Amino acid sequence: MTLSSLKRSALALTVAASALSLSGCGYNDFQRLDEQVKSQWSEVLNQYQRRADLIPNIVATVKGEANFEQETLTKVIEARSKATSIQATPELVNNPEAFQKFQAAQGELTGALSRLMAVSENYPNLKANQGFQDLRVQLEGSENRITVARGKYIKSVQDYNVLARSFPSNLTAMVFSYEVKPNFTVENEKAISAPPAVSFDKPAK
């Protein structure tokens, strides 16, 4: 075997050993799960944006109702403004403090919308307004989509964090600075996991 052939064989063995080493230490899994987290997070943002886009039409419809409770309407407008003012970049999922602010703002908006829908029960004209009813159905659908998207995100973050904390992949996490990612908290889930009460058959509880 020539010197050139020996060098090629040695290089091939080195590459193979490196590939096996990276695979065994979880490096490739970190890349896969990180991309999965980013993808699921993008879907969460898409669904929150879909809800935010509905709100101006809901507000416009409610404003047409005489003597509607202004405090409730104002809180929805303010909560939407606060939620949409947060720049929810992909990097946000690696910043626990920013992530907490984001979920708190979204939870506040969910609560304001719930109150708006409950108050609307007291206005027969809104109940009979087909446009408002259509918006109500769209809002309910948005809340359901948010719940599904958020659930998938929670699972993807859980998979990533388990890898970051488990041995020996936790050594890879330390070497490459793969930090544990923030997730939706139990308290936040209680606040925003249930869609707003939008039934027109009986008062919201």
Side-chain angles (χ1 to χ4, degrees), residues 149-171:
R150 195 172 57 242
K152 290 180 178 179
Y153 173 79
I154 290 171
K155 179 61 169 62
S156 66
V157 171
Q158 180 182 25
D159 291 342
Y160 180 95
N161 288 345
V162 167
L163 184 68
R165 288 171 170 164
S166 301
F167 182 83
S169 53
N170 64 329
L171 302 179

Side-chain angles (χ1 to χ4, degrees), residues 58-68 73 125-126 129:
I58 293 174
V59 169
T61 303
V62 171
K63 276 185 176 180
E65 177 64 31
N67 301 319
F68 190 84
L73 193 57
N125 289 339
L126 281 177
N129 186 318

Side-chain angles (χ1 to χ4, degrees), residues 17-28:
S18 298
L20 288 173
S21 176
L22 288 174
S23 177
C25 70
Y27 179 85
N28 291 336

Side-chain angles (χ1 to χ4, degrees), residues 3 13 16 24-25 27 30 41 44-45 50 54 75 78 94-95 144 146 150 158 173 176 189 191-192 195 197-198:
L3 181 60
L13 287 172
C25 70
Y27 179 85
F30 274 113
W41 177 244
V44 170
L45 295 182
R50 185 177 186 275
L54 279 173
K75 285 184 177 179
E78 291 177 346
N94 297 316
N95 186 329
N144 290 335
I146 288 171
R150 195 172 57 242
Q158 180 182 25
F176 291 97
E189 283 299 290
I192 67 178
V198 293

